[in-house]
Amino acid sequence: MKVALTREVSAGLAQCELTHLARRPIDVARARDQHARYEAALAKLGARVQRLPGAPDMPDCVFIEDTALVLDELAIILRPGAAARRSEVPAVAQALQACRPLVWMQPPGLMDGGDVLRIGKRLFVGRSSRTNDEGIRQLRTALEPLGYTVDALDVRGCLHLKSAATEVARGGEQGGVLLINPGWITPGVFGNVEVVEVDGREAYAANALRIGESVVYPEHFPWTAERLERRGIPLERVPCDELAKAEGAVTCCSLLFDIPDA
Ligand code: CIR
């Protein structure tokens, strides 16, 4: 069974971290409504949604992806690059410990889950303002013995690696189809994969969340959505422009993993 761990939108969302966006007023009620519709999309695609409570002093806690990396064998509890976000971590670790052995990233390692793009057993990790070389080293040490490869890629122009590239369809051995903003990452760095480029009018459109054969995708990128649909990729469109004002998108609002059926 697939579990989607999510986290409540904080009443303090308007105080979120911002790196590449100017601060704009955020309507928390509207963000909460959009988040509920996102969760409904995950449930429709077969995930059991488990929502953790948020807190007013954790403005970014809805972006739960940044706190942990959950693989079949274990979960890595991350040290988010923004110090203000580290208080989000313990509650997520507590929720995950029932499902996976935990490995804790240690200082001075830093990593946001938004920087980790997994294609099967290949992990591409963005070296960004949130993720450092020591974090990448620790990830390698934990995961190479389990058969994963870890490749570091420089991220420029955007917050996380997955702002620039996400997987939208599964492939064979070499990986499937990636949705990419070529202005932020060179498609060639991923090796032998098929690439769909975002529409030039939609720089932030490369973040998509694949669940099985379907893709949860923001309603506010119609041009790129059309490209994906033309490529035969089924989309479950969700409204998320209010959360986007906090520099979040669709991968960042859940941790997806499998657990044995009861
Ligand atoms: C932050 O800057 O940390 C949040 N305002 C947005 C985090 C988005 N996370 C993600 O895309 N994985």
Side-chain angles (χ1 to χ4, degrees):
M1 172 194 293
K2 188 156 299 291
V3 174
L5 195 61
T6 64
R7 198 155 188 189
E8 183 186 13
V9 174
S10 169
L13 178 64
Q15 281 75 53
C16 63
E17 297 285 320
L18 287 175
T19 308
H20 296 277
L21 295 182
R23 197 167 294 278
R24 288 187 285 161
I26 295 181
D27 180 338
V28 172
R30 187 163 182 267
R32 285 187 166 153
D33 176 62
Q34 293 187 345
H35 186 244
R37 289 166 74 178
Y38 169 85
E39 290 175 328
L42 299 181
K44 181 177 167 191
L45 296 176
R48 194 188 77 195
V49 177
Q50 184 188 339
R51 185 198 289 176
L52 302 180
D57 61 350
M58 294 182 197
D60 283 304
C61 63
V62 65
F63 305 124
I64 191 169
E65 166 181 65
D66 293 321
T67 58
L69 174 66
V70 188
L71 301 170
D72 288 344
E73 302 85 347
L74 50 72
I76 312 266
I77 305 302
L78 300 173
R79 278 189 86 234
R85 296 199 56 192
R86 291 192 202 131
S87 60
E88 298 171 24
V89 171
V92 179
Q94 197 184 355
L96 290 173
Q97 72 183 359
C99 323
R100 294 290 189 276
L102 303 185
V103 174
W104 291 75
M105 186 160 283
Q106 302 297 327
L110 297 174
M111 189 170 290
D112 277 12
D115 275 319
V116 184
L117 170 60
R118 183 167 76 82
I119 304 176
K121 291 278 231 183
R122 297 191 302 156
L123 299 183
F124 295 95
V125 185
R127 199 186 276 118
S128 71
S129 61
R130 301 290 177 86
T131 296
N132 65 9
D133 282 322
E134 171 57 17
I136 296 170
R137 189 194 67 73
Q138 290 182 31
L139 198 71
R140 221 175 249 133
T141 302
L143 297 182
E144 280 184 350
L146 299 173
Y148 290 87
T149 62
V150 175
D151 285 313
L153 303 175
D154 287 323
V155 171
R156 284 195 204 89
C158 57
L159 182 59
H160 289 129
L161 177 61
K162 278 189 290 197
S163 317
T166 53
E167 191 192 37
V168 287
R170 223 193 308 249
E173 277 290 289
Q174 289 305 309
V177 183
L178 295 189
L179 177 62
I180 290 184
N181 175 339
W184 288 340
I185 196 97
T186 310
V189 296
F190 297 106
N192 181 24
V193 292
E194 186 184 333
V195 168
V196 176
E197 293 188 1
V198 300
D199 186 280
R201 288 162 283 192
E202 297 173 336
Y204 287 86
N207 189 272
L209 178 65
R210 184 179 69 75
I211 301 189
E213 306 308 316
S214 297
V215 166
V216 178
Y217 196 69
E219 269 178 12
H220 57 283
F221 297 127
W223 301 105
T224 303
E226 194 185 311
R227 287 186 183 197
L228 291 168
E229 285 180 332
R230 240 187 288 131
R231 169 61 185 68
I233 294 170
L235 302 185
E236 190 62 39
R237 298 195 204 205
V238 291
C240 57
D241 56 333
E242 206 60 38
L243 289 163
K245 293 180 188 169
E247 222 167 334
V250 285
T251 64
C252 53
C253 292
S254 57
L255 288 169
L256 291 173
F257 52 91
D258 292 310
I259 58 167
D261 290 332

